[in-house]
Amino acid sequence: MIEVKNLVKRYGDKKAVNDISFKVERGEILGFLGPNGAGKSTTMNMLTGYISSTSGQILINGTDILEDPKKAKANIGYLPEIPPLYVDMTVDGYLNFVYDLKKCKLSRKAHLKDVCDLCKISDVRSRLIKNLSKGYRQRVGLAQALINNPPVLILDEPTVGLDPNQIIEIRTLIKKLGKRHTVILSSHILPEIQAVCDRIIIINKGVVAADGTADEIAKSITNEHKMTLRIEGPTHTASDKDMIVTALRAVDGVKYVRADMERERGVYDYDVETDGKTDVRRAINALCSEKGWNILMLQLSDLTLEDIFLKITMGEQIGSDKGNDSKPRPRINLVFDNSSETENAASDKGSENAEASADDNGGEK
Ligand code: ADP
């Protein structure tokens, strides 16, 4: 449905997008993720035909966007971050205007009713757009993108500025739309991407840094698996902690151990990372039973999307045996160079998630 081949965009000497290629199939919801300055908007703008590429090709439903922009664009419904609304018009007036602009051939009355019902704006059709709440405006923006029933929907940060209820509504709607349309969703909100998207492309410094499901990418970037153990030592004092950390580190397959918070008096949590090949649970159980320590909790925790995002975009060093296994991997091009001017994920928009995750990781290896 969408095919992007070796796409490059230069601004002067700077390559904002540097040889990006990917495909999106019919009925797929693709999340487009990346830190500020990564090249997301530039790519979106090329996909929608708003700016031209320096080189490379974009095919929308088989049509080259530069060779036949009219035909290619007819396949796309676009919701930019700031919806292009004429606020002095009524919702109905505006949607009729878009209908005419798109030279829509579908039955006007029935089609506009369908779109309004789908976007839940039927009750405000006669209202002036300037008097609508942000959530309603966003839904009117989505409605204009849906007019003429385009097979491809490109949505740029569709939930920015909405309240939690409105966010849930828009996400539910996007999920529903994904059944009938190919959707590309750009967002810096990681849980949103995880909740809505079938597949994720992480773009960093103008290149595709990872492409796959969150699980696939997590497995590709590291063989490590994480778990948290709560262990009760013999003396119920802090000296148990060092002894237990040392013993856990000696278990075959364990790569990293860090003592975390004291959960009960003298009882600590331990974050353990393994090489991903060895199931260390039995060995740890045997160790604890031999020493007379009690395991009060064992919780397996896979990498979150935040962990993945940080590892890819902030150049965090990952497992030492990275790349040595022979398992098939999703297409991935890891970029660990942190030296460029690109703003990192912990700045500006993505800071909440990025910071939360950085705390979780602790930084110890
Ligand atoms: P994102 O949407 O991921 O935040 P952008 O696509 O906006 O990133 O920008 C990618 C890079 O290209 C950035 O370094 C940005 O400064 C640069 N850039 C974007 N638009 C222009 C422009 N019109 N002229 C010069 N540089 C630009």
Side-chain angles (χ1 to χ4, degrees):
M1 180 52 70
I2 300 174
E3 198 169 354
V4 173
K5 294 184 200 165
N6 307 105
L7 197 64
V8 174
K9 180 68 185 179
R10 276 181 187 276
Y11 292 115
D13 284 347
K14 187 179 170 64
K15 275 188 182 166
V17 169
N18 187 5
D19 200 15
I20 280 183
S21 300
F22 62 88
K23 274 186 192 176
V24 197
E25 304 297 342
R26 187 180 295 272
E28 201 172 20
I29 307 183
L30 174 79
F32 213 57
L33 199 64
N36 292 330
K40 300 182 300 295
S41 300
T42 305
T43 307
M44 292 283 204
N45 285 335
M46 289 190 280
L47 282 175
T48 52
Y50 183 67
I51 59 171
S52 58
S53 55
T54 306
S55 61
Q57 193 181 32
I58 296 171
L59 299 171
I60 308 283
N61 217 0
T63 306
D64 188 311
I65 194 128
L66 292 182
E67 275 174 16
D68 193 346
K70 243 180 166 176
K71 189 174 171 202
K73 284 183 196 176
N75 285 291
I76 301 173
Y78 181 34
L79 176 64
E81 187 172 348
I82 299 165
L85 304 174
Y86 291 108
V87 295
D88 286 324
M89 292 177 112
T90 62
V91 171
D92 227 9
Y94 173 67
L95 294 179
N96 272 285
F97 168 69
V98 175
Y99 178 97
D100 292 334
L101 210 62
K102 291 192 178 181
K103 298 189 169 70
C104 185
K105 298 277 189 295
L106 301 164
S107 151
R108 183 185 294 261
K109 203 173 162 201
H111 181 49
L112 291 185
K113 182 182 182 305
D114 285 351
V115 166
C116 289
D117 287 349
L118 190 62
C119 296
K120 294 194 183 150
I121 52 171
S122 301
D123 54 333
V124 296
R125 285 181 70 166
S126 59
R127 300 256 304 266
L128 285 174
I129 293 174
K130 67 179 169 197
N131 294 334
L132 297 180
S133 68
K134 180 117 181 35
Y136 265 106
R137 286 187 195 200
Q138 198 71 5
R139 280 188 263 160
V140 174
L142 204 49
Q144 67 75 27
L146 287 170
I147 288 179
N148 210 19
N149 218 1
V152 175
L153 286 176
I154 298 187
L155 313 175
D156 196 358
E157 300 277 1
T159 60
V160 160
L162 303 185
D163 71 33
N165 285 330
Q166 293 166 338
I167 288 174
I168 290 170
E169 279 183 12
I170 292 280
R171 284 184 189 166
T172 310
L173 179 55
I174 295 169
K175 269 284 210 197
K176 199 167 166 187
L177 293 172
K179 297 203 170 83
R180 283 196 292 153
H181 301 259
T182 300
V183 180
I184 297 187
L185 172 81
S186 145
S187 175
H188 69 284
I189 304 165
L190 304 181
E192 174 155 298
I193 294 275
Q194 202 142 31
V196 176
C197 300
D198 308 314
R199 195 177 122 211
I200 302 163
I201 285 185
I202 299 179
I203 176 166
N204 193 32
K205 298 171 189 169
V207 301
V208 173
D211 181 350
T213 64
D215 278 357
E216 283 170 344
I217 296 171
K219 282 188 187 119
S220 289
I221 63 170
T222 177
N223 282 323
E224 292 161 3
H225 290 270
K226 293 204 256 183
M227 68 176 76
T228 304
L229 286 151
R230 185 168 302 163
I231 300 175
E232 183 180 41
T235 66
H236 282 234
T237 64
S239 67
D240 288 352
K241 196 168 65 171
D242 297 337
M243 179 173 67
I244 291 173
V245 166
T246 307
L248 289 174
R249 280 186 181 150
V251 172
D252 206 25
V254 168
K255 292 186 66 180
Y256 160 76
V257 181
R258 185 189 69 158
D260 200 345
M261 285 174 63
E262 186 177 23
R263 294 291 170 169
E264 296 165 35
R265 207 171 145 263
V267 176
Y268 294 84
D269 278 358
Y270 300 86
D271 293 330
V272 175
E273 283 186 18
T274 75
D275 61 12
K277 294 170 207 142
T278 322
D279 187 348
V280 298
R281 290 173 298 176
R282 286 168 193 82
I284 289 178
N285 201 29
L287 167 78
C288 291
S289 107
E290 182 198 322
K291 302 275 189 192
W293 305 336
N294 295 314
I295 298 177
L296 302 183
M297 183 200 72
L298 189 157
Q299 192 172 39
L300 296 172
S301 50
D302 288 328
L303 283 183
T304 64
L305 190 54
E306 279 88 345
D307 295 332
I308 296 168
F309 187 79
L310 283 172
K311 278 179 189 285
I312 290 176
T313 61
M314 295 181 70
E316 186 186 323
Q317 195 51 53
I318 60 172
S320 57
D321 62 348
K322 164 174 70 83
N324 288 346
D325 69 317
S326 55
K327 277 185 264 169
R329 294 162 174 244
R331 191 160 65 79
I332 190 153
N333 175 18
L334 290 172
V335 181
F336 290 120
D337 165 25
N338 219 12
S339 59
S340 108
E341 63 192 330
T342 307
E343 296 156 48
N344 67 35
S347 68
D348 197 3
K349 303 200 276 192
S351 59
E352 278 174 38
N353 292 323
E355 280 162 15
S357 181
D359 283 343
D360 290 347
N361 283 343
E364 226 178 285
K365 274 271 153 198

